[in-house]
Amino acid sequence: DVAKTNQGSINCQLVSIYLSIDGGITYPYLVIDSIPNTGTAEITVPSYPTNKARIMVKAMDNIFFDVSDANFKITSTFSIKSDISELIVCDEDVVTVDLKLEQLGDLKAPIHLRILPPYDTIVHEFSDNDITDLPSKVTLSLIEVNKLVADEYTIVIEGRSGEENIKTSFSIIKGLASDEIVLKAPAN
């Protein structure tokens, strides 16, 4: 029921649907954009396992929104967790991050790991890929990290099994290399 929001003075013809996985505190995931305001929509629910999922329907051409009244559960057949959330590097050429994969249900296909854009161009390798035996520990090696410019990089890793995909992330904070630091003061 669109409660007549598609008529009269409100006249909202398009809505977007967002997903929250923290009980409605934030809605960071756009599920579908600019669809007709008919009261129904067929969506693919993103694979973000949680017990605190909520949906927000937001008007595209007006200022109203509506959120689901109660949390719902999104399940997955596997999970991926990084052993770190942040990694600080300076001169290192190679850094490694351990990923822990757990089975939560019946896998439909092997799990294939990859780094998502824009940082998929960083030279990297996984110690194992197309994983079928869970639980499993996979080491991600990032190579030539010392060639990155000083900045913060959020690395997003996706595990895909059939149509299901799960993501985890961590940050690399690349500092200046020791040969890039020049003392300018005091002069002596």
Side-chain angles (χ1 to χ4, degrees):
D1 178 21
V2 297
K4 298 185 182 180
T5 58
N6 60 344
Q7 303 171 7
S9 62
I10 297 175
N11 195 25
C12 173
Q13 297 303 307
L14 299 173
V15 296
S16 292
I17 299 176
Y18 292 84
L19 173 68
S20 170
I21 59 172
D22 59 13
I25 297 170
T26 63
Y27 288 85
Y29 305 107
L30 177 63
V31 177
I32 193 165
D33 195 25
S34 298
I35 60 169
N37 182 19
T38 62
T40 63
E42 187 172 315
I43 63 168
T44 300
V45 177
S47 296
Y48 295 109
T50 182
N51 291 326
K52 298 179 181 180
R54 288 191 182 221
I55 292 289
M56 175 174 61
V57 178
K58 182 178 175 187
M60 292 296 301
D61 46 4
N62 209 310
I63 57 170
F64 74 88
F65 64 91
D66 190 22
V67 297
S68 49
D69 295 331
N71 293 341
F72 61 91
K73 185 176 185 177
I74 299 174
T75 60
S76 176
T77 60
F78 67 98
S79 68
I80 304 173
K81 294 185 179 145
S82 170
D83 67 339
I84 60 157
S85 61
E86 185 176 273
L87 183 64
I88 300 172
V89 298
C90 288
D91 291 333
E92 295 87 340
D93 181 37
V94 177
V95 294
T96 60
V97 176
D98 288 331
L99 305 171
K100 184 177 179 183
L101 287 81
E102 298 280 336
Q103 188 164 346
L104 305 174
D106 294 330
L107 287 179
K108 309 230 180 325
I111 301 167
H112 180 77
L113 300 172
R114 70 182 184 127
I115 293 179
L116 295 181
Y119 302 121
D120 56 329
T121 57
I122 295 173
V123 179
H124 64 279
E125 60 184 39
F126 293 98
S127 63
D128 191 9
N129 218 331
D130 296 324
I131 302 143
T132 56
D133 294 325
L134 297 178
S136 181
K137 182 179 118 182
V138 175
T139 300
L140 167 62
S141 298
L142 299 168
I143 303 160
E144 299 180 345
V145 175
N146 55 346
K147 293 183 179 179
L148 296 174
V149 297
D151 204 347
E152 183 171 352
Y153 301 86
T154 300
I155 307 298
V156 179
I157 300 159
E158 176 189 70
R160 181 175 289 277
S161 173
E163 293 297 314
E164 183 176 12
N165 64 341
I166 302 293
K167 296 178 182 91
T168 190
S169 65
F170 63 92
S171 294
I172 294 178
I173 299 173
K174 170 67 166 77
L176 296 173
S178 59
D179 61 349
E180 297 176 282
I181 300 172
V182 178
L183 182 62
K184 293 191 175 193
N188 56 2

